[in-house]
Coordinates of all heavy atoms in Angstrom, one line a residue:
G292 N 74.7 -70.5 -5.0 CA 74.3 -71.9 -4.8 C 73.2 -72.2 -5.9 O 73.0 -73.4 -6.1
D293 N 72.6 -71.2 -6.5 CA 71.7 -71.4 -7.5 C 72.4 -72.2 -8.7 O 73.6 -71.9 -9.0 CB 71.0 -70.1 -8.0 CG 70.0 -69.6 -7.0 OD1 69.7 -70.4 -6.1 OD2 69.6 -68.4 -7.2
V294 N 71.6 -73.0 -9.3 CA 72.2 -73.7 -10.6 C 71.4 -73.3 -11.7 O 70.1 -73.4 -11.7 CB 72.1 -75.3 -10.4 CG1 72.6 -76.0 -11.7 CG2 73.0 -75.7 -9.1
V295 N 72.0 -72.9 -12.7 CA 71.4 -72.4 -13.9 C 71.8 -73.2 -15.2 O 72.8 -73.7 -15.3 CB 71.6 -71.0 -14.2 CG1 71.1 -70.1 -13.1 CG2 73.0 -70.6 -14.4
L296 N 70.9 -73.3 -16.2 CA 71.3 -73.9 -17.4 C 71.6 -72.8 -18.5 O 70.9 -71.8 -18.6 CB 70.0 -74.8 -17.9 CG 70.1 -75.3 -19.4 CD1 71.2 -76.4 -19.4 CD2 68.7 -75.8 -19.8
V297 N 72.8 -73.0 -19.1 CA 73.2 -72.0 -20.1 C 73.4 -72.8 -21.5 O 74.3 -73.7 -21.5 CB 74.4 -71.4 -19.7 CG1 74.7 -70.2 -20.7 CG2 74.4 -70.8 -18.3
E298 N 72.6 -72.4 -22.4 CA 72.7 -73.2 -23.8 C 73.3 -72.3 -24.8 O 73.7 -71.1 -24.5 CB 71.3 -73.5 -24.2 CG 70.6 -74.6 -23.2 CD 69.1 -74.8 -23.6 OE1 68.3 -74.0 -23.6 OE2 69.0 -76.1 -23.8
A299 N 73.5 -72.9 -26.0 CA 74.2 -72.2 -27.0 C 73.5 -70.8 -27.3 O 72.2 -70.8 -27.5 CB 74.3 -73.0 -28.3
G300 N 74.2 -69.7 -27.4 CA 73.7 -68.4 -27.6 C 73.3 -67.6 -26.4 O 73.1 -66.5 -26.4
D301 N 73.3 -68.3 -25.2 CA 73.0 -67.6 -24.0 C 74.2 -67.0 -23.3 O 75.3 -67.3 -23.5 CB 72.5 -68.6 -22.9 CG 71.1 -69.2 -23.3 OD1 70.4 -68.7 -24.3 OD2 70.7 -70.3 -22.7
I302 N 73.9 -65.9 -22.7 CA 74.9 -65.2 -21.9 C 74.9 -65.8 -20.5 O 74.0 -66.1 -19.8 CB 74.5 -63.6 -21.8 CG1 74.5 -63.0 -23.1 CG2 75.6 -63.0 -20.8 CD1 75.8 -62.9 -23.9
I303 N 76.1 -66.0 -20.0 CA 76.3 -66.6 -18.6 C 75.9 -65.5 -17.8 O 76.5 -64.4 -17.7 CB 77.8 -67.1 -18.3 CG1 78.0 -68.3 -19.3 CG2 77.8 -67.6 -17.0 CD1 79.4 -68.8 -19.3
P304 N 74.9 -65.7 -16.8 CA 74.4 -64.5 -16.0 C 75.2 -64.1 -14.9 O 75.1 -62.9 -14.5 CB 73.0 -65.1 -15.6 CG 73.2 -66.7 -15.5 CD 74.1 -66.9 -16.6
S305 N 76.1 -65.0 -14.4 CA 77.0 -64.5 -13.2 C 78.1 -65.4 -13.1 O 78.2 -66.5 -13.8 CB 76.0 -64.6 -12.0 OG 76.8 -64.0 -10.8
D306 N 79.1 -65.2 -12.3 CA 80.2 -66.0 -12.1 C 79.7 -67.4 -11.4 O 78.8 -67.4 -10.6 CB 81.2 -65.5 -11.1 CG 81.8 -64.2 -11.6 OD1 81.5 -63.8 -12.8 OD2 82.7 -63.5 -10.9
G307 N 80.4 -68.5 -11.9 CA 80.1 -69.8 -11.4 C 81.0 -70.9 -11.7 O 82.1 -70.6 -12.3
E308 N 80.7 -72.0 -11.4 CA 81.5 -73.2 -11.7 C 80.5 -74.2 -12.6 O 79.4 -74.4 -12.1 CB 82.1 -73.9 -10.6 CG 83.2 -73.2 -10.0 CD 84.0 -74.0 -8.9 OE1 83.4 -74.3 -7.9 OE2 85.1 -74.3 -9.1
V309 N 81.1 -74.8 -13.6 CA 80.4 -75.8 -14.3 C 80.3 -77.1 -13.5 O 81.3 -77.7 -13.1 CB 81.1 -76.1 -15.7 CG1 80.3 -77.1 -16.5 CG2 81.2 -74.8 -16.5
V310 N 79.1 -77.5 -13.3 CA 78.9 -78.8 -12.5 C 78.4 -79.9 -13.4 O 78.5 -81.1 -13.1 CB 77.7 -78.6 -11.5 CG1 78.2 -77.6 -10.5 CG2 76.4 -78.0 -12.1
E311 N 78.1 -79.7 -14.8 CA 77.8 -80.6 -15.7 C 77.8 -80.0 -17.1 O 77.5 -79.0 -17.3 CB 76.3 -81.1 -15.5 CG 75.9 -82.4 -16.3 CD 74.5 -82.9 -16.0 OE1 73.9 -82.4 -15.1 OE2 74.1 -83.8 -16.7
G312 N 78.3 -80.9 -18.0 CA 78.4 -80.5 -19.3 C 79.7 -79.9 -19.9 O 80.6 -79.7 -19.0
V313 N 79.8 -79.7 -21.1 CA 81.1 -79.1 -21.7 C 80.5 -78.2 -22.9 O 79.6 -78.4 -23.5 CB 82.0 -80.1 -22.2 CG1 81.3 -81.0 -23.2 CG2 83.3 -79.4 -22.8
A314 N 81.1 -77.0 -23.0 CA 80.7 -76.0 -23.9 C 81.9 -75.2 -24.4 O 82.9 -75.0 -23.6 CB 79.5 -75.2 -23.5
S315 N 81.9 -74.6 -25.6 CA 82.8 -73.5 -25.9 C 82.2 -72.1 -25.6 O 81.0 -71.9 -25.7 CB 83.1 -73.6 -27.4 OG 81.9 -73.4 -28.2
V316 N 83.0 -71.3 -25.0 CA 82.6 -70.1 -24.4 C 83.3 -68.9 -25.0 O 84.7 -69.0 -25.2 CB 82.8 -70.1 -22.9 CG1 82.3 -68.6 -22.3 CG2 82.0 -71.1 -22.2
N317 N 82.7 -67.9 -25.5 CA 83.3 -66.6 -26.0 C 83.5 -65.7 -24.9 O 82.6 -65.2 -24.3 CB 82.4 -66.0 -27.0 CG 83.0 -64.6 -27.6 OD1 84.1 -64.4 -27.3 ND2 82.1 -63.9 -28.3
E318 N 84.9 -65.4 -24.5 CA 85.2 -64.6 -23.4 C 85.8 -63.3 -23.9 O 86.6 -62.6 -23.2 CB 86.3 -65.4 -22.5 CG 85.6 -66.5 -21.8 CD 86.5 -67.1 -20.7 OE1 87.8 -66.8 -20.7 OE2 86.0 -67.9 -19.9
A319 N 85.4 -62.9 -25.1 CA 86.0 -61.7 -25.7 C 85.6 -60.5 -24.9 O 86.4 -59.5 -24.8 CB 85.4 -61.4 -27.1
A320 N 84.5 -60.4 -24.1 CA 84.1 -59.3 -23.3 C 85.1 -59.1 -22.1 O 85.3 -58.0 -21.6 CB 82.6 -59.6 -22.7
I321 N 85.8 -60.1 -21.8 CA 86.8 -60.1 -20.7 C 88.1 -59.9 -21.1 O 88.9 -59.1 -20.6 CB 86.6 -61.3 -19.8 CG1 85.2 -61.5 -19.3 CG2 87.6 -61.2 -18.6 CD1 84.7 -60.4 -18.4
T322 N 88.5 -60.7 -22.1 CA 90.0 -60.9 -22.6 C 90.2 -60.1 -23.7 O 91.4 -59.8 -24.1 CB 90.4 -62.3 -22.8 OG1 89.6 -62.8 -23.9 CG2 90.2 -63.2 -21.6
G323 N 89.2 -59.8 -24.5 CA 89.5 -59.1 -25.8 C 89.9 -60.0 -26.9 O 90.1 -59.6 -28.0
E324 N 90.0 -61.3 -26.6 CA 90.4 -62.3 -27.7 C 89.1 -63.0 -28.2 O 88.3 -63.5 -27.4 CB 91.3 -63.4 -27.0 CG 92.7 -62.8 -26.5 CD 93.5 -62.1 -27.5 OE1 93.4 -62.6 -28.6 OE2 94.3 -61.1 -27.1

């Protein structure tokens, strides 16, 4: 339920859903792509 701000260069700290904004995300740690 906590809401966090994630800006360019930041690591997303935990699983969640975007409630505002749009950004490109590097998911190589998960998918390898």
Side-chain angles (χ1 to χ4, degrees):
D293 286 345
V294 179
V295 297
L296 172 66
V297 191
E298 298 177 296
D301 292 347
I302 300 293
I303 297 172
S305 186
D306 295 356
E308 283 193 299
V309 179
V310 294
E311 186 178 353
V313 58
S315 61
V316 179
N317 177 10
E318 295 189 340
I321 304 298
T322 66
E324 300 297 331

